[in-house]
Amino acid sequence: PLPDSEPLRSAVRDLAHEAGLRDCPSSTAMHFADQLDIFGLQQNVRSPGCIRAELDSCSAPCCGRITALDYARRVGQARALITGSDDRVLEQLHARMRTAAAAEQFEYAAALRDRLERLQWLKHRISTFRTELASLDFVYRARARRGRSRLYLIRQGRVCAQLPWPRSTQGRDRARRQIEYVYASPLPNTTQLSAEDAAEMMLVAHWFRIHPEERQHTRPPSWFRASHRPSSAPARTRPGARAERKGASC
C-alpha cells in the first residue's frame, strides 16, 4: 500500500537480496531440493536462471538449491520485517556491516549501510501507514452539496458499506443494524492486500489527509449506536391525526 517509486523498488529489491528470495517473473518454475521429480531429472542438471545464484544473493529455488521448508522460512523473515513483528533481517545486515568495517572493507560496509537505511525506510513507511490506517476506523457522514448526505462505514481505511443518512426511525434502525454487523466482523487482513484494496486504502487516507476538517464529521460506531437507539414502541399518534389522515385519504 505505498506509491510506486524508485526508493520503494530499491528497498524491495534489497529485501529480496537479504532474505535470499527470488525476484524473477512468476512464470519461472520453482524446483525445490526436496521436491520429487517424477521424470527422473536430476536436480544438479538444472542451471540457475540468473547471476544472483552465483552471487549468493538468491537461494535459487529455480534449480533446486534450497528445500521448500527453508525457502518458506526466508519468506517468513521478509514478511516479519514488513509486518514489524521481527527485525532479524535488519540485525543480520547490521552485523555484516560491522564485520566488513572491522575488516577495513569500507566500500562494502558503505554499500551495506545504504541497504540498511533503505530497509529501515521501508519499515518506517509501512509502520506509519499502518498507524494511519488504525486511525481510519469510524462512521463518516459525507455532506453532499446537492442531495442527501451519505453514511460511510470505514474500517482500517476501507469502505465496508455506505448508505443514505437515515432520517426516519426505520432508516436509523437499519443503519444501526448495519453498523453493528460491520464493526462486529473480524478486522480486515492488511498483510495480504489486492491491488484494489490497497488503492482504496490509499485514496481514503489521502482524502482525510488533504481534508482534515472532514474529521469533525466522523464518529466512533459506539456513538451512533448510543444516539440512535432502536425503536421499542410504536410511535404515538397525536389527537386528531388519525382523522386528518382519513380525511386526506378521501
Side-chain angles (χ1 to χ4, degrees):
L2 297 176
D4 186 23
S5 64
E6 182 55 37
L8 177 62
R9 290 191 293 269
S10 298
V12 171
R13 184 167 54 249
D14 289 333
L15 180 57
H17 282 236
E18 281 303 310
L21 303 179
R22 68 173 191 159
D23 56 2
C24 50
S26 58
S27 57
T28 302
M30 300 177 72
H31 304 282
F32 295 108
D34 54 348
Q35 180 177 337
L36 179 64
D37 195 336
I38 61 176
F39 296 104
L41 181 63
Q42 299 296 323
Q43 295 287 356
N44 55 11
V45 174
R46 297 190 177 95
S47 58
C50 70
I51 198 175
R52 281 192 58 199
E54 304 301 331
L55 297 177
D56 201 27
S57 66
C58 180
S59 54
C62 60
C63 59
R65 292 190 180 181
I66 189 173
T67 65
L69 180 60
D70 288 340
Y71 192 79
R73 288 173 180 167
R74 292 172 179 262
V75 173
Q77 289 182 359
R79 183 186 297 273
L81 176 64
I82 292 176
T83 58
S85 59
D86 194 344
D87 290 343
R88 193 174 312 170
V89 173
L90 297 181
E91 294 171 357
Q92 294 173 352
L93 180 56
H94 192 263
R96 288 169 51 208
M97 181 187 69
R98 289 183 299 182
T99 301
E104 298 184 355
Q105 299 174 348
F106 300 117
E107 292 185 3
Y108 181 53
L112 294 178
R113 178 204 60 204
D114 295 341
R115 177 174 294 182
L116 179 62
E117 291 177 352
R118 288 191 292 266
L119 290 180
Q120 289 174 334
W121 171 86
L122 176 63
K123 177 188 175 183
H124 175 72
R125 285 296 304 270
I126 294 179
S127 176
T128 301
F129 188 75
R130 188 178 294 112
T131 302
E132 186 176 20
L133 289 182
S135 69
L136 297 175
D137 201 286
F138 42 62
V139 176
Y140 170 49
R141 181 180 183 180
R143 299 179 180 273
R145 295 182 179 179
R146 297 180 180 178
R148 299 177 60 181
S149 301
R150 297 195 67 81
L151 192 64
Y152 291 87
L153 312 187
I154 299 177
R155 294 200 73 187
Q156 299 290 312
R158 279 185 256 195
V159 180
C160 297
Q162 59 170 306
L163 56 153
W165 178 261
R167 298 180 181 274
S168 63
T169 301
Q170 293 80 4
R172 286 190 289 270
D173 288 347
R174 285 194 298 268
R176 179 185 53 80
R177 289 193 297 268
Q178 183 74 8
I179 289 173
E180 290 179 349
Y181 171 77
V182 167
Y183 291 93
S185 303
L187 285 171
N189 184 7
T190 57
T191 59
Q192 294 180 346
L193 295 175
S194 66
E196 291 77 11
D197 288 337
E200 180 182 38
M201 295 162 71
M202 291 173 60
L203 181 62
V204 172
H206 183 68
W207 169 258
F208 287 101
R209 199 180 303 126
I210 65 175
H211 296 288
E213 70 280 359
E214 289 298 312
R215 288 276 187 169
Q216 64 183 338
H217 302 310
T218 65
R219 295 291 185 276
S222 57
W223 171 86
F224 191 93
R225 292 194 295 264
S227 59
H228 299 82
R229 298 185 182 277
S231 57
S232 56
R236 294 177 124 184
T237 305
R238 63 180 178 83
R242 184 175 302 173
E244 289 177 3
R245 289 198 298 270
K246 183 177 180 180
S249 64
C250 295

